[in-house]
């Protein structure tokens, strides 16, 4: 009996009602359960368990997803529980990224709850010999108003299990919601604060060994000679394995292989780390030492005078419009490589045997873990089980399967389960970094102070090139970091943006609000500069500009300028935009449209006479359509703002000689709690479809703060390069 059949049979043996819906057609499996691979389970004691198929990495989505099913089920929230689903194709896509978890689950989980409710109502109606339409539900109870009879869901489970699963069910109107949009306790918080929730690093399986890996210090390097005698002599060390990543098959586009390295296998993490320290390795850097962030910047600066690789132009010719402009402005903006720096470094447990592979992975993308396991082991997907564990942060880093591939490869080599655990230094030096960027902007104003021309050119080493994104059919690949998504509207009568790639071995990948975190800083900062050039108030300048825009549909959503104007006006009101401030203090504003949500922010900043910066307050207005879980939504926005501010003030990855220079938090400067500002978050609800919340509040932070610094310094200090306070600067 496999694990799935055991769980399904076990649930049924306790008298449970198992229900589920999926985007895909489901296969029926033997057993008494109504639908295999369930989203919703109702037990005879009335407990409702919602299976969450998407990964939880601290974003609080498990509670929001449970609320979707509970709403349509008219559940008693005190009886709702959640459990994490393993990788199973019957759930549909299971990745967590792109601020899409709640949006993509909006209909499937609501439909699962509605299906369960319909079956329970039918069972109650049959018991009472009345029409199902004459019954209603509330708080886990079916009620027949004409007679006053009522029965709890748990009492109906046995009868409901005998009914056919309805193929089509009606979903509630928004006006009838009693759970969605209301404050509810986070289902995971009690277990988190008592330490009962297990994270990836907490995973233990019988007979497991512990592994620490010394990876190539230079990007693209590999071990030329390995002297492991001293390592093997360390007490507890059982084996030393070369991880030859170059020999691994490609996992597929957007799923990079790990770095080459040497793994020490031991009976404890301590022994593995001590054995790793005793290794003596000669590395072949294969030319990787030529890599540096300084060389990348120089390459970008040299390309400025050359034609762009991928230009996009709307309206009139920018060059002519700039030449005819009454006033002109040109500026270079730069953004750095960024690390994810989750509090829980990478880890994975794998158990590979000749006929099966089982993996316990804190992953945002279990499908990628399975793909890596299939390529490394040669086993079919049906012989691979991926358990998704809780994560202590991710921010895009755990979208890839490199760390899981290491565990799978080592387990296969020794024929026993292993846990690969990274150190903080491993995590900092072997990540997939948010790409850096070199931006040249030029703008021109007409005689009335309106933007007549706008040009934005970007040079960088993109994540698409590194991740080997496939080209669209019939098209040349443009894996650029600047696209129509970054400009949801045509900003000027003569409007142009362009992208040119450079080559680099430095790993690049996902990051929270990947492109927007850079491009919104650049565009919203330059927009502020244009407002100053026009001698206009920055908020009024934006509102006038947006008032001339038309609605535009993009591949990832439809932009509505009226909604953007609304959040800008409201954030100005809530922040007291027009209220005077004392000398040394200033306000800055910025906004963005990302993941189908509209966000506007005002930052209030103090700058002392010696240049020290304090961010005192950030006011944020969000229009994401519908807010499912208000407390979780607020936490998401506050977290995004905090991370955006941390990146703006001090975070930067630099590379010299092919190696990352920041090994820990002494040099990779995360925001400390003493510098965190007061954050005011406000939501605008308009009944529209759901927008994302995990990422959209991050991009406006840096430009709002930098624009506020400009105002606080009497328009004397314009920040065009991040971080604002590089490591070389004196710390405040």
């Amino acid at each position: 009996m496999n694990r799935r059949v055991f769980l399904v049979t076990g649930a049924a043996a306790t008298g449970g009602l198992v229900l589920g819906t999926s985007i895909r057609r489901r296969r029926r499996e033997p057993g008494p359960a109504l639908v295999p691979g369930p989203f919703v389970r109702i037990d005879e004691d009335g407990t409702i368990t919602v299976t969450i198929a998407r990964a939880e990495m601290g974003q609080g989505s498990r509670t929001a997803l449970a609320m979707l099913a509970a709403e349509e089920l008219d559940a008693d929230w005190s009886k709702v529980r959640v459990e994490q689903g393993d990788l199973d194709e019957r759930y549909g896509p299971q990745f967590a990224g792109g601020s899409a978890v709640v949006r993509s689950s909006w209909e499937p989980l609501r439909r699962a709850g509605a299906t369960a409710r319909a079956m329970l109502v039918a069972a109650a109606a049959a018991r009472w010999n009345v029409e199902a339409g004459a019954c209603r539900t509330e708080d886990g109870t079916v009620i027949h108003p004409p007679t006053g009879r009522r029965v709890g869901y748990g009492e109906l489970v046995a009868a409901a299990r005998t009914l056919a699963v309805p193929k089509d069910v009606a979903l509630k109107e928004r006006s009838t919601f009693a759970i969605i949009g209301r404050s509810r306790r986070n289902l995971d918080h009690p277990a988190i604060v008592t330490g009962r929730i297990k994270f990836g690093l907490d995973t233990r399986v019988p007979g497991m060994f512990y592994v620490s890996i010394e990876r190539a210090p230079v990007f693209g390097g590999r071990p030329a000679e390995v002297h492991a005698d001293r390592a093997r002599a360390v007490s507890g060390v059982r084996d030393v394995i070369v991880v030859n990543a170059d020999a691994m098959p490609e996992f597929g586009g957007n799923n990079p292989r790990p770095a080459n390295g040497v793994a020490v296998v031991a009976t404890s993490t301590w022994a593995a780390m001590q054995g790793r320290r005793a290794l003596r390795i000669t590395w072949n850097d294969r030319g990787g030492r030529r890599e540096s962030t300084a060389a990348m910047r120089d390459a970008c600066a040299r390309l400025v005078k050359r034609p762009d690789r991928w230009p996009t132009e709307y309206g009139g010719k920018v060059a002519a419009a700039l030449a005819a402009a009454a006033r002109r402005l040109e500026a270079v903006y730069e953004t750095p490589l960024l690390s994810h720096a989750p509090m829980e470094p990478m880890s994975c447990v794998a158990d590979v045997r000749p006929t099966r592979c089982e993996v316990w992975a804190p992953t945002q993308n279990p499908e990628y873990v399975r793909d890596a396991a299939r390529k490394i082991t040669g086993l079919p997907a049906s012989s691979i089980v991926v358990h998704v564990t809780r994560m202590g942060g991710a921010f895009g880093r755990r979208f890839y399967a490199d760390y899981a591939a290491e565990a799978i490869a080592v387990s296969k080599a020794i024929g026993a389960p292993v846990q690969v655990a990274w150190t903080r230094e491993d995590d900092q030096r072997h990540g997939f970094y948010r790409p850096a960027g070199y931006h040249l902007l030029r703008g021109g104003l007409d005689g009335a102070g309106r933007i007549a021309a706008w040009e934005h050119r970007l040079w960088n080493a993109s994540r698409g090139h590194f991740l080997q994104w496939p080209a669209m059919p019939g098209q040349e690949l443009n894996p650029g970091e600047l696209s129509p998504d970054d400009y949801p509207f045509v900003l000027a009568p003569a409007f142009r943006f362009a992208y040119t790639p450079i080559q680099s071995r430095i790993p690049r990948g996902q990051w929270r609000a990947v492109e927007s975190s850079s491009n919104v800083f650049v565009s919203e900062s330059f927009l502020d500069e244009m407002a100053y050039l026009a001698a206009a108030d920055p908020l009024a300048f934006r509102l006038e500009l947006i008032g001339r825009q038309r609605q535009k549909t993009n591949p990832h959503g439809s932009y509505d300028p009226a909604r953007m104007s609304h959040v800008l006006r409201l954030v100005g009101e809530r922040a007291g935009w027009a209220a005077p401030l004392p000398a040394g203090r200033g306000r800055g504003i910025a906004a963005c449209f990302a993941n189908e949500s509209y966000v506007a922010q005002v930052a209030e900043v103090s700058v002392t006479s010696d240049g020290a910066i304090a961010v005192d307050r950030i006011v944020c207005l969000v229009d994401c359509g519908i807010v499912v879980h208000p407390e979780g939504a607020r936490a998401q926005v506050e977290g995004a703002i905090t991370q955006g501010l941390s990146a703006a003030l001090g975070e930067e990855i630099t590379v010299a000689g092919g190696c990352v220079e920041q090994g820990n938090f002494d040099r990779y400067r995360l925001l400390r709690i003493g510098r965190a500002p007061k954050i005011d978050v406000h939501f605008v609800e308009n009944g529209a479809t759901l927008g994302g919340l995990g990422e959209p509040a991050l991009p406006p932070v840096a430009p709002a703060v930098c624009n506020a610094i400009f105002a606080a310094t009497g328009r004397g200090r314009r920040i065009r390069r991040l971080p604002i306070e590089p490591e070389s600067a004196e710390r405040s």
Side-chain angles (χ1 to χ4, degrees):
M1 180 182 291
N2 66 32
R3 181 178 182 275
R4 184 175 297 112
V5 172
F6 172 79
L7 289 176
V8 170
T9 305
T14 64
L17 169 64
V18 182
L19 292 160
T21 64
S22 175
I23 299 169
R24 302 183 182 183
R25 198 176 187 88
R26 291 173 177 267
R27 299 190 319 269
R28 288 186 175 269
E29 292 184 358
L34 288 176
V35 179
F39 279 117
V40 174
R41 185 178 73 241
I42 304 172
D43 294 323
E44 289 186 334
D45 63 357
T47 299
I48 298 168
T49 302
V50 181
T51 298
I52 306 301
R54 302 290 182 133
E56 174 64 61
M57 48 190 158
Q59 75 272 44
S61 60
R62 279 162 50 109
T63 298
L65 297 184
M67 290 173 72
L68 300 180
E71 178 64 69
E72 295 292 342
L73 188 51
D74 277 335
D76 176 353
W77 186 251
S78 68
K79 295 184 177 181
V80 175
R81 307 288 184 268
V82 289
E83 64 180 21
Q84 185 66 49
D86 292 336
L87 177 62
D88 190 322
E89 66 178 11
R90 294 172 296 174
Y91 292 128
Q94 288 183 250
F95 71 88
S99 301
V101 167
V102 176
R103 285 185 291 159
S104 61
S105 304
W106 173 253
E107 184 171 330
L109 279 171
R110 288 177 63 207
R111 197 164 294 281
T115 301
R117 176 182 172 276
M119 297 180 72
L120 293 163
V121 168
R127 172 186 286 196
W128 297 326
N129 195 25
V130 300
E131 292 292 327
C135 300
R136 65 180 182 87
T137 55
E138 67 176 21
D139 291 335
T141 304
V142 180
I143 303 168
H144 185 240
T147 61
R149 284 178 290 187
R150 60 176 57 222
V151 59
Y153 288 171
E155 296 179 57
L156 296 168
V157 164
R161 283 172 49 202
T162 66
L163 303 177
V165 179
K167 294 182 179 179
D168 193 21
V169 291
L171 300 180
K172 286 184 175 184
E173 296 293 330
R174 188 184 172 208
S175 60
T176 66
F177 285 172
I179 293 177
I180 292 175
R182 308 292 179 87
S183 293
R184 300 285 174 176
R185 64 177 176 85
N186 187 298
L187 297 174
D188 286 335
H189 280 176
I192 291 173
V193 299
T194 56
R196 287 182 285 119
I197 279 189
K198 296 202 177 295
F199 291 77
L201 277 169
D202 298 321
T203 303
R204 299 290 183 270
V205 299
M208 185 181 83
F209 290 97
Y210 300 82
V211 176
S212 186
I213 300 178
E214 184 72 12
R215 297 167 187 84
V218 174
F219 297 127
R222 64 177 302 160
E225 294 182 7
V226 179
H227 301 281
D229 291 347
R230 293 182 181 178
R232 294 180 190 278
V234 172
S235 177
V237 170
R238 290 293 179 265
D239 209 344
V240 175
I241 305 291
V242 173
V243 179
N244 187 356
D246 290 341
M248 294 180 184
E250 295 284 353
F251 302 156
N254 207 44
N255 192 8
R257 295 176 297 184
N260 293 306
V262 180
V264 176
V265 182
T267 56
S268 69
T269 302
W270 176 254
M273 290 181 174
Q274 293 305 305
R276 174 182 170 182
R277 291 188 179 97
L279 288 171
R280 297 294 179 266
I281 305 171
T282 302
W283 297 96
N284 179 353
D285 63 39
R286 298 193 291 181
R289 293 199 181 277
R290 292 192 294 269
E291 286 285 350
S292 73
T293 43
M296 288 176 63
R297 183 178 186 274
D298 290 344
C300 292
R302 287 194 302 270
L303 289 170
V304 168
K305 296 181 180 180
R306 297 185 184 180
D308 300 305
R309 178 74 177 276
W310 283 293
T312 302
E313 197 156 14
Y314 298 94
K317 295 295 183 181
V318 167
L322 284 169
R327 281 166 285 180
R328 290 179 293 276
L329 181 66
E330 180 176 308
V332 171
Y333 280 82
E334 298 179 61
T335 54
L337 296 169
L338 292 178
S339 172
H340 302 85
M343 289 299 98
E344 180 189 25
M346 301 302 103
S347 70
C348 186
V349 172
D351 187 2
V352 179
R353 303 302 168 97
T355 60
R356 66 174 176 83
C357 171
E358 195 166 6
V359 183
W360 292 261
T363 174
Q364 292 177 248
N365 199 336
E367 289 95 336
Y368 277 11
V369 172
R370 180 192 57 201
D371 292 346
R374 187 168 53 84
K375 294 294 182 67
I376 293 170
T377 65
L379 294 170
S382 58
S383 297
I384 299 168
V385 177
V386 179
H387 307 286
V388 181
T389 70
R390 182 90 178 200
M391 290 167 272
F395 315 117
R397 174 60 183 90
R398 288 183 161 95
F399 199 82
Y400 308 115
D402 59 302
Y403 57 97
E406 292 176 333
I408 294 163
V410 175
S411 178
K412 178 185 177 183
I414 69 171
V418 302
Q419 181 184 65
V420 170
W422 291 35
T423 66
R424 175 60 58 197
E425 287 76 11
D426 294 335
D427 204 54
Q428 287 293 108
R429 291 182 169 135
H430 299 283
F432 298 99
Y433 308 102
R434 189 205 67 178
Y438 188 94
H439 305 252
L440 174 63
L441 283 91
R442 296 193 298 167
L445 299 174
D446 62 19
R450 293 181 172 182
I451 298 177
W454 182 286
E455 182 179 55
H456 183 171
R457 302 168 68 198
L458 167 63
W459 298 264
N460 82 347
S462 77
R463 61 180 173 130
H465 270 130
F466 178 79
L467 298 170
Q468 301 177 20
W469 286 354
M472 298 295 290
Q475 296 181 10
E476 184 183 13
L477 174 65
N478 176 2
E481 305 294 330
L482 187 63
S483 72
D485 288 347
D486 299 296
Y487 281 104
F489 52 86
V490 177
L491 196 146
F495 178 58
R496 182 180 187 271
F497 59 86
Y499 172 69
T500 299
I502 65 169
Q503 300 301 313
S504 175
R505 294 188 189 184
I506 298 172
R508 289 95 63 196
Q510 311 283 75
W511 199 79
R512 195 173 191 172
V514 197
E515 287 84 17
S516 297
S517 61
S518 291
N519 295 334
V520 171
F521 160 66
V522 174
S523 61
E524 285 291 302
S525 295
F526 193 68
L527 191 59
D528 211 69
E529 293 203 52
M530 294 293 284
Y532 177 58
L533 185 67
D537 174 81
L539 174 55
F541 189 78
R542 283 172 169 80
L543 290 172
E544 193 278 333
L545 174 65
I546 294 170
R548 292 185 278 116
Q549 295 165 6
R550 297 187 303 274
Q551 186 163 330
K552 179 183 174 185
T553 299
N554 294 312
H556 301 296
S558 180
Y559 169 78
D560 184 350
R563 292 174 69 180
M564 180 60 80
S565 291
H566 189 51
V567 296
L568 276 166
R569 292 182 191 277
L570 283 178
V571 80
E573 293 174 7
R574 299 293 175 88
W577 177 259
L581 287 171
R585 298 186 70 180
R587 295 189 186 95
I589 193 166
C592 78
F593 171 66
N595 308 102
E596 299 183 50
S597 290
Y598 301 77
V599 180
Q601 293 174 8
V602 170
E604 196 167 303
V605 172
S606 299
V607 181
T608 63
S609 58
D610 62 357
I613 296 167
V615 181
D616 303 310
R617 181 188 182 208
I618 293 178
V619 181
C620 182
L621 254 293
V622 181
D623 176 356
C624 60
I626 298 171
V627 178
V628 174
H629 180 211
E631 291 180 5
R634 188 177 305 279
Q636 278 278 65
V637 172
E638 290 175 349
I641 290 171
T642 302
Q643 187 169 13
L645 180 59
S646 180
L649 287 177
E651 294 184 35
E652 180 180 23
I653 288 290
T654 57
V655 176
C659 305
V660 171
E661 295 184 297
Q662 291 75 25
N664 212 312
F665 294 151
D666 57 335
R667 295 192 64 186
Y668 193 78
R669 298 171 53 211
L670 298 177
L671 184 73
R672 267 49 173 186
I673 195 168
R675 300 195 69 187
K678 179 183 179 183
I679 300 175
D680 295 331
V681 178
H682 307 274
F683 291 96
V684 177
E685 290 208 56
N686 56 28
T689 56
L690 273 78
L693 271 180
E695 296 167 287
L698 188 149
V701 178
V705 169
C706 291
N707 295 339
I709 292 170
F710 181 68
T713 56
R715 299 180 172 181
R717 183 180 175 189
R718 181 66 75 179
I719 306 295
R720 291 178 175 148
R721 185 175 184 178
L722 295 179
I724 299 168
E725 300 174 334
E727 185 192 352
S728 58
E730 183 178 352
R731 300 187 187 185
S732 60

